Tab-separated table of all heavy atoms in Angstrom:
chain	number	residue	atom	x	y	z
U	238	ILE	N	-50.969	-47.420	22.010
U	238	ILE	CA	-51.578	-48.675	22.465
U	238	ILE	C	-52.975	-48.752	21.881
U	238	ILE	O	-53.837	-47.928	22.204
U	238	ILE	CB	-51.659	-48.716	24.002
U	238	ILE	CG1	-50.268	-48.574	24.620
U	238	ILE	CG2	-52.328	-50.011	24.466
U	238	ILE	CD1	-50.280	-48.426	26.135
U	239	THR	N	-53.223	-49.721	21.004
U	239	THR	CA	-54.583	-49.862	20.481
U	239	THR	C	-54.876	-51.318	20.141
U	239	THR	O	-53.964	-52.082	19.812
U	239	THR	CB	-54.826	-48.921	19.274
U	239	THR	OG1	-56.242	-48.877	19.000
U	239	THR	CG2	-54.082	-49.366	18.022
U	240	GLY	N	-56.148	-51.684	20.270
U	240	GLY	CA	-56.554	-53.071	20.030
U	240	GLY	C	-56.129	-53.998	21.153
U	240	GLY	O	-56.133	-55.220	21.009
U	241	GLU	N	-55.808	-53.417	22.291
U	241	GLU	CA	-55.238	-54.190	23.400
U	241	GLU	C	-56.270	-54.394	24.513
U	241	GLU	O	-57.183	-53.591	24.684
U	241	GLU	CB	-54.014	-53.422	23.930
U	241	GLU	CG	-53.181	-54.161	24.939
U	241	GLU	CD	-52.709	-55.509	24.424
U	241	GLU	OE1	-51.819	-55.570	23.553
U	241	GLU	OE2	-53.268	-56.518	24.886
U	242	THR	N	-56.103	-55.479	25.245
U	242	THR	CA	-56.895	-55.672	26.461
U	242	THR	C	-55.942	-55.669	27.645
U	242	THR	O	-55.014	-56.474	27.706
U	242	THR	CB	-57.660	-57.006	26.423
U	242	THR	OG1	-58.617	-56.958	25.359
U	242	THR	CG2	-58.413	-57.239	27.737
U	243	LEU	N	-56.167	-54.707	28.539
U	243	LEU	CA	-55.317	-54.587	29.721
U	243	LEU	C	-56.002	-55.299	30.885
U	243	LEU	O	-57.091	-54.905	31.310
U	243	LEU	CB	-55.091	-53.097	30.030
U	243	LEU	CG	-54.281	-52.715	31.262
U	243	LEU	CD1	-52.931	-53.429	31.298
U	243	LEU	CD2	-54.063	-51.201	31.292
U	244	HIS	N	-55.369	-56.376	31.370
U	244	HIS	CA	-55.950	-57.133	32.476
U	244	HIS	C	-55.539	-56.526	33.813
U	244	HIS	O	-54.359	-56.267	34.036
U	244	HIS	CB	-55.476	-58.594	32.418
U	244	HIS	CG	-56.152	-59.374	31.333
U	244	HIS	ND1	-57.312	-60.075	31.522
U	244	HIS	CD2	-55.843	-59.535	30.025
U	244	HIS	CE1	-57.686	-60.647	30.388
U	244	HIS	NE2	-56.806	-60.326	29.456
U	245	VAL	N	-56.537	-56.295	34.653
U	245	VAL	CA	-56.274	-55.730	35.992
U	245	VAL	C	-56.941	-56.663	36.990
U	245	VAL	O	-58.132	-56.549	37.267
U	245	VAL	CB	-56.848	-54.301	36.107
U	245	VAL	CG1	-56.492	-53.690	37.468
U	245	VAL	CG2	-56.349	-53.400	34.985
U	246	ASN	N	-56.181	-57.656	37.467
U	246	ASN	CA	-56.850	-58.713	38.230
U	246	ASN	C	-56.011	-59.307	39.353
U	246	ASN	O	-56.313	-60.398	39.836
U	246	ASN	CB	-57.294	-59.823	37.268
U	246	ASN	CG	-56.120	-60.400	36.491
U	246	ASN	OD1	-55.001	-60.476	36.995
U	246	ASN	ND2	-56.349	-60.819	35.267
U	247	GLY	N	-54.973	-58.601	39.771
U	247	GLY	CA	-54.162	-59.117	40.878
U	247	GLY	C	-53.458	-60.423	40.567
U	247	GLY	O	-53.000	-61.122	41.476
U	248	GLY	N	-53.381	-60.739	39.290
U	248	GLY	CA	-52.670	-61.956	38.883
U	248	GLY	C	-53.556	-63.202	38.803
U	248	GLY	O	-53.062	-64.309	38.558
U	249	MET	N	-54.868	-63.027	38.970
U	249	MET	CA	-55.730	-64.207	38.963
U	249	MET	C	-55.782	-64.895	37.606
U	249	MET	O	-56.030	-66.090	37.497
U	249	MET	CB	-57.141	-63.868	39.484
U	249	MET	CG	-58.207	-63.632	38.477
U	249	MET	SD	-59.775	-63.150	39.291
U	249	MET	CE	-60.788	-64.570	38.972
U	250	TYR	N	-55.507	-64.115	36.548
U	250	TYR	CA	-55.391	-64.686	35.216
U	250	TYR	C	-54.259	-63.968	34.503
U	250	TYR	O	-54.238	-62.746	34.447
U	250	TYR	CB	-56.695	-64.501	34.440
U	250	TYR	CG	-56.597	-64.892	32.983
U	250	TYR	CD1	-56.733	-66.231	32.599
U	250	TYR	CD2	-56.362	-63.941	31.993
U	250	TYR	CE1	-56.638	-66.580	31.258
U	250	TYR	CE2	-56.253	-64.291	30.669
U	250	TYR	CZ	-56.397	-65.617	30.296
U	250	TYR	OH	-56.301	-65.970	28.975
Side-chain angles (χ1 to χ4, degrees):
Chain U
I238 301 173
T239 193
E241 189 55 72
T242 295
L243 177 52
H244 285 269
V245 184
N246 58 33
M249 99 183 249
Y250 172 83

